[in-house]
């Protein structure tokens, strides 16, 4: 209990700190699934552990103790968690729940906006919609059953091969449901700030994933790399993107181009096992903390029953 | 060429998207042969022709006759709106009533325009 209840904080921190590196090291589809699963599991364990810590303080409040018929002296005497840690946990849990609610609300609103936008631009599910916009732009919309949106100025600047590569990349986002992984990680990070770097890692790994699907589909890694480099320059040159965004995107794009120019990604079974072990530690630590807390409450209950 | 390609046959949806992208990139309407040249793939002429016909049937492209062949271009957003308005009207159980309601709810600024267009239509 002493250590177990704090372990999920550690595992979440470890995953958060290594997420970006994992996204670089692992093949993109593996990285996406593993980081997402890891983020969801560790964020749940994190919230659960904090919940236990918070509960141990709340249970000492006379009204709560009365409701549960627990002895406050026993809870205070045998509780290994310092009150300050519990008090901090109460604050963090409240913050986490609030942050989750706000994030969820924003995501729902964004999804509704995207759906309305999708209805406005028309087109068929999963298919290309050409927009007569002023600036070069390309993206995959996940709303409905998805749309690929490319503006006419961008299409005019690309040759036939590049258009094919771009279409294959955007289509891969839709067919592999990349938005689901991104959403899961955003929600996980909303309850556990330690996992924030995982959002960027999964954004990167899903982009890499789409690059690899496109490269396999058109059987030309160099062409996909060239298309990526060209479109990112053309799109970023548009005044609609803030310069900050362009600067931040530059790093990952270079990295993606380099990855495409190398041979296909290698599997790294040891890394996968390490992350799975991390998830297992998270889960078992949570279960252990729960078990110990139940034991403590049972003890406090027995004592209070025999004491009166 | 088809032997070198690892993907055995491209799905029709993908091909339609590539054709749409090629038409959007072009300066003017393209004939089937010109679309084929713009696709960077060893596709058969008939495959591209079938795809263009399917896009035409869906109203995604319009075509005009140039000599012996058709030249295709993307349907403009305006014609797409007009097409969906017509479609909605056809689907309505009471066409006359639906049209009357539509006229009732016209923006005041649209009325003179509509009147002028109808006049022009009558003179023709």
């Amino acid at each position: 209990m002493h250590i177990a209840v704090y372990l999920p904080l550690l595992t979440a921190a470890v995953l958060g700190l290594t997420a970006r590196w994992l996204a670089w090291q692992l093949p993109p589809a593996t990285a996406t699934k593993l980081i997402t699963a890891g983020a969801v599991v560790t964020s749940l364990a994190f919230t659960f552990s904090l919940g236990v810590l918070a509960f141990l303080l709340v249970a000492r409040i006379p009204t709560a103790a009365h409701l549960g018929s627990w002895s406050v002296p026993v809870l205070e005497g045998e509780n290994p968690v310092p009150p300050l840690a519990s008090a901090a946990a109460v604050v963090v849990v409240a913050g986490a729940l609030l942050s989750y609610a706000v994030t969820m609300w924003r995501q729902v609103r964004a999804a509704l906006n995207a759906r309305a936008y999708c209805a406005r631009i028309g087109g068929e599910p999963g298919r290309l919609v050409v927009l007569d916009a002023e600036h070069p732009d390309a993206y995959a919309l996940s709303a409905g059953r998805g749309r690929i949106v490319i503006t006419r100025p961008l299409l005019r600047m690309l040759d036939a091969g590049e258009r094919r590569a771009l279409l294959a990349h955007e289509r891969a986002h839709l067919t592999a449901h990349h938005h689901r992984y991104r959403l899961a990680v955003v929600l996980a990070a909303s309850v556990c700030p330690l996992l924030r770097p995982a959002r960027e890692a999964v954004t990167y790994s899903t982009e890499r994933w789409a690059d690899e699907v496109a490269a396999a589909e058109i059987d030309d890694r160099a062409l996909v790399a060239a298309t990526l480099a060209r479109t990112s320059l053309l799109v970023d040159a548009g005044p609609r993107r803030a310069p900050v965004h362009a600067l931040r995107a530059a790093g990952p794009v270079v990295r993606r181009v380099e990855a495409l120019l190398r041979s296909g990604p290698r599997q790294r079974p040891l890394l996968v096992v390490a992350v799975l072990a991390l998830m297992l530690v998270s889960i078992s630590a949570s279960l252990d903390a729960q078990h110990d807390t139940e034991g403590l409450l049972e003890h406090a209950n027995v004592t209070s029953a025999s004491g009166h | 060429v088809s032997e070198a390609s690892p993907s055995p046959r491209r799905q029709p949806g993908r091909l339609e998207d590539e054709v749409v992208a090629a038409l959007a990139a072009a300066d003017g309407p393209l004939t089937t042969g010109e679309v084929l040249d713009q696709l960077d793939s060893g596709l058969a002429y008939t495959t591209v022709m079938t795809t263009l016909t399917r896009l035409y049937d869906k109203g995604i492209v319009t075509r005009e006759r140039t000599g012996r062949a058709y030249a295709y271009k993307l349907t403009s957003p305006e014609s797409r709106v007009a097409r969906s308005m017509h479609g909605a009207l056809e689907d309505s159980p009471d066409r006359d009533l639906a049209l009357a309601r539509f006229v009732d709810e016209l923006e005041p600024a649209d009325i003179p325009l509509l009147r002028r267009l109808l006049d022009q239509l009558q003179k023709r």
Side-chain angles (χ1 to χ4, degrees), chain A residues 281-294:
Chain A
V281 167
S282 256
I283 295 170
S284 50
S286 301
L287 293 177
D288 193 42
Q290 184 203 6
H291 180 80
D292 286 356
T293 309
E294 274 173 5

Side-chain angles (χ1 to χ4, degrees), chain A residues 121 124 126-130 132 148 152 155-164 167 171 216-219 223, chain B residues 4 6-7 10 13-14 16-18 20-27 38-41 55 58 60 74 77 80:
Chain A
I121 61 172
E124 295 172 68
R127 302 287 300 280
L128 170 67
V129 174
V130 178
D132 278 312
I148 297 165
R152 201 189 277 255
L155 287 171
R156 295 177 79 100
M157 291 175 206
L158 302 177
D159 67 26
E162 291 169 332
R163 288 197 301 266
R164 240 183 111 194
L167 277 170
R171 192 165 39 233
E217 191 182 311
I218 68 173
D219 195 29
L223 177 58
Chain B
S7 49
R10 263 183 260 176
R14 291 182 186 184
E16 283 179 31
D17 284 351
E18 281 173 38
V20 167
L23 288 173
D27 289 318
Q38 288 297 313
L39 282 182
D40 172 51
S41 46
L55 288 170
K58 289 184 194 171
I60 296 170
L74 289 191
R80 219 175 303 146

Side-chain angles (χ1 to χ4, degrees), chain B residues 50-81:
Chain B
T50 314
T51 308
L52 281 165
T53 309
R54 208 160 37 223
L55 288 170
Y56 174 75
D57 290 342
K58 289 184 194 171
I60 296 170
V61 301
T62 52
R63 65 186 181 192
E64 56 194 56
R65 209 169 249 296
T66 57
R68 290 184 300 124
Y70 282 118
Y72 295 85
K73 63 172 187 182
L74 289 191
T75 311
S76 67
E78 297 77 28
S79 347
R80 219 175 303 146
V81 171

Side-chain angles (χ1 to χ4, degrees), chain A residues 14-95:
Chain A
V14 169
L15 187 66
L17 288 173
T18 55
R20 216 137 70 101
W21 181 76
L22 286 170
W24 293 342
Q25 296 298 319
L26 291 164
T30 311
T32 305
K33 291 172 189 167
L34 202 62
I35 296 170
T36 307
V40 169
V41 166
T42 52
S43 71
L44 286 175
F46 172 87
T47 315
F48 183 80
S49 296
L50 285 172
V52 168
L53 289 175
F55 174 80
L56 289 174
L57 185 70
V58 173
R60 291 193 216 172
I61 299 170
T63 318
H66 179 74
L67 280 174
S69 42
W70 302 308
S71 147
V72 175
V74 172
L75 280 179
E76 276 173 5
E78 297 187 11
N79 183 355
V81 179
L84 199 63
S86 276
V90 171
V91 174
V92 177
V93 165

